[in-house]
Amino acid sequence: MTDLKKKLITTVATGAILLNTLTPLAFADTTIEISGNGSSSDNTANVTTESNTTVVQNNAASVSNNVDANATTGGNDANDNTGGDVVISTGDAKTSVDVSTAVNANHADVDQCNCDNDVDVLISGNGYKSDNDVKLETSNDVSVFQDNAAKISNYIDANAKTGNNDANRNTGGDVLVFTGDAQSNVDVKNKANANIAKVGGNGDGSDMDLRIIGNGSHSDNDIRLKAHQSVLLVQNNAAYIYNDILAKAKTGGNDANDNTGGDVIIDTGDAKAWVEVDNMVNFNAADVDCGCLTDVLAKISGNGTNSDNDIKAKIEKNLSDFQDNASDLYNDVYAKAKTGNNDAKRNTGPVHNTDPVEILTGDATSWTDVENSGNVNIFGPSAGWWDFPEGLDLDFDFHFDLGVLLSLLHHMG
């Protein structure tokens, strides 16, 4: 009996799995106060705060698996024997090929979006004809880039063969040829390209108080506020998978010819060719929640006659999300199961035996299952961010766990 098993598990660990968690440095609370200054004074406060958070995760994997698996029993000769039974009995021939490739996963968790940044601006109690100005500009930019590129090629040739036995020209006994089963199993799993990004959601927001209170007559008081928040999320996947699979199982090709004096029996086992291909690629999931500005208070009160008081506030929030998938899947599968092609010719048995020749062949079964799934984009809690299918356990401890990745990609379709 020949039983050949080949199992390949391919992972790209260096540069292929990037798991990051970032908590941006939050601004301290900003307090600006111009108060208690004398008449005709000129008071100005210019404040600029800026925060930039950039996450870049790139993976590129090229995997090529070349597998040649052959299992053969048979090729036995028992010819030209005289005076006894001739028996050829072969065991099973089995090839089993298991190829699993899992590459390219990015996981980014950017906490808070710098939301905890309270601003308090106060112009109060300044004298007659004073000129008081506050200019405040805050900028908060978060950028997340996740890119995966995978190229996977599997070239698999699996052959299992029993038979091709010769028992010819024997005299004086039974001729028996028994062959075992020929079974060829190929299981290929390709899983690639997963991006998960979670931005914000843990901040408490900011309070902004803008007040011009109790300043003298003919004073000129101005508050100018510009608050800008921008989130840019880009998730890209590109997958190319080529599977070239040949699986053959064959029994038969036995000869029992020109025998004299006994029964001739050829009995072959089953021939089974089993191929399963499962391709799962390109998964993007994003949850962005940066509701930083919660309360804004602007107040002008109690200022003197002919005072000129202005509050100008410009608040901008921009969210840009890009999720792109491109996949090229090519499966070339040839599965063949064959029994037969046995010869039992020109045999002569005893006179009392009216049926001296018997050929029995097993079943020939060819089974192929090809599944392709991919190109899934999920954005926001409403898309089911925390409600993935049962059994999927997203691990936020940020360590490489192949089982988690396989489970993640398995539940894509």
Side-chain angles (χ1 to χ4, degrees):
M1 181 176 72
T2 303
D3 190 349
L4 179 60
K5 297 182 179 179
K6 289 191 176 183
K7 184 173 183 180
L8 293 180
I9 298 179
T10 304
T11 63
V12 179
T14 302
I17 308 297
L18 296 178
L19 307 178
N20 287 344
T21 179
L22 288 178
T23 301
L25 295 175
F27 294 136
D29 293 342
T30 302
T31 301
I32 302 172
E33 181 176 341
I34 298 177
S35 62
N37 297 288
S39 63
S40 300
S41 60
D42 187 355
N43 307 296
T44 303
N46 295 323
V47 179
T48 300
T49 61
E50 182 177 350
S51 172
N52 295 303
T53 300
T54 302
V55 178
V56 180
Q57 296 174 316
N58 294 314
N59 291 317
S62 179
V63 179
S64 180
N65 297 310
N66 297 299
V67 181
D68 186 3
N70 293 284
T72 302
T73 64
N76 301 294
D77 295 325
N79 302 319
D80 303 305
N81 298 291
T82 303
D85 296 334
V86 176
V87 179
I88 297 176
S89 180
T90 67
D92 300 331
K94 296 181 181 179
T95 62
S96 180
V97 178
D98 185 2
V99 177
S100 296
T101 302
V103 293
N104 296 352
N106 292 319
H107 192 161
D109 191 351
V110 181
D111 192 12
Q112 296 184 5
C113 302
N114 290 333
C115 290
D116 298 331
N117 180 24
D118 293 336
V119 174
D120 187 2
V121 179
L122 174 63
I123 298 177
S124 68
N126 297 289
Y128 166 79
K129 283 192 175 181
S130 61
D131 186 359
N132 307 296
D133 296 288
V134 174
K135 295 180 181 179
L136 173 62
E137 183 173 348
T138 64
S139 177
N140 178 22
D141 297 315
V142 177
S143 301
V144 179
F145 300 92
Q146 295 175 316
D147 294 292
N148 290 314
K151 181 180 180 181
I152 301 173
S153 300
N154 296 305
Y155 303 94
I156 300 172
D157 186 359
N159 292 286
K161 183 178 179 181
T162 64
N164 200 32
N165 301 292
D166 293 327
N168 301 319
R169 300 176 303 278
N170 298 291
T171 302
D174 296 333
V175 176
L176 307 176
V177 178
F178 299 100
T179 68
D181 298 330
Q183 184 170 324
S184 182
N185 298 330
V186 178
D187 186 5
V188 177
K189 292 183 174 65
N190 299 309
K191 308 174 195 304
N193 299 350
N195 292 318
I196 300 175
K198 186 173 186 294
V199 181
N202 296 323
D204 296 328
S206 299
D207 294 329
M208 290 194 173
D209 294 336
L210 312 176
R211 294 168 294 163
I212 299 175
I213 301 172
N215 297 285
S217 62
H218 295 279
S219 61
D220 186 357
N221 306 295
D222 297 288
I223 296 176
R224 293 181 177 88
L225 169 66
K226 184 178 180 181
H228 172 78
Q229 181 192 5
S230 175
V231 177
L232 173 62
L233 176 62
V234 180
Q235 295 174 314
N236 293 317
N237 289 315
Y240 170 80
I241 295 179
Y242 179 79
N243 296 307
D244 186 359
I245 300 171
L246 172 62
K248 296 174 68 176
K250 182 179 179 181
T251 64
N254 301 292
D255 293 327
N257 302 320
D258 302 305
N259 298 290
T260 302
D263 295 334
V264 176
I265 298 176
I266 298 176
D267 188 357
T268 69
D270 299 330
K272 297 180 181 180
W274 180 87
V275 178
E276 181 176 4
V277 179
D278 193 357
N279 298 312
M280 298 180 183
V281 296
N282 297 351
F283 178 86
N284 291 319
D287 182 11
V288 180
D289 181 14
C290 290
C292 287
L293 299 178
T294 56
D295 295 315
V296 177
L297 171 63
K299 183 177 182 180
I300 299 175
S301 67
N303 298 288
T305 60
N306 291 323
S307 61
D308 186 359
N309 306 294
D310 295 293
I311 296 178
K312 295 180 180 179
K314 184 178 182 180
I315 300 172
E316 294 181 346
K317 296 177 65 177
N318 298 315
L319 170 61
S320 300
D321 175 69
F322 301 92
Q323 294 175 316
D324 295 302
N325 292 312
S327 60
D328 186 3
L329 307 178
Y330 183 78
N331 299 302
D332 186 3
V333 179
Y334 178 68
K336 184 177 181 179
K338 183 178 180 181
T339 64
N341 198 32
N342 301 291
D343 292 327
K345 300 176 180 179
R346 299 177 301 278
N347 296 290
T348 303
V351 177
H352 65 273
N353 191 339
T354 59
D355 192 13
V357 178
E358 186 173 11
I359 299 177
L360 304 174
T361 66
D363 298 328
T365 303
S366 178
W367 183 86
T368 302
D369 184 11
V370 178
E371 294 184 4
N372 298 309
S373 60
N375 295 354
V376 177
N377 294 319
I378 297 177
F379 178 76
S382 61
W385 175 260
W386 299 117
D387 191 22
F388 283 118
E390 183 179 356
L392 175 58
D393 182 17
L394 288 177
D395 193 338
F396 279 86
D397 291 336
F398 303 104
H399 63 273
F400 173 66
D401 189 334
L402 179 60
V404 173
L405 175 61
L406 296 182
S407 179
L408 168 65
L409 290 169
H410 179 70
H411 289 89
M412 285 168 44

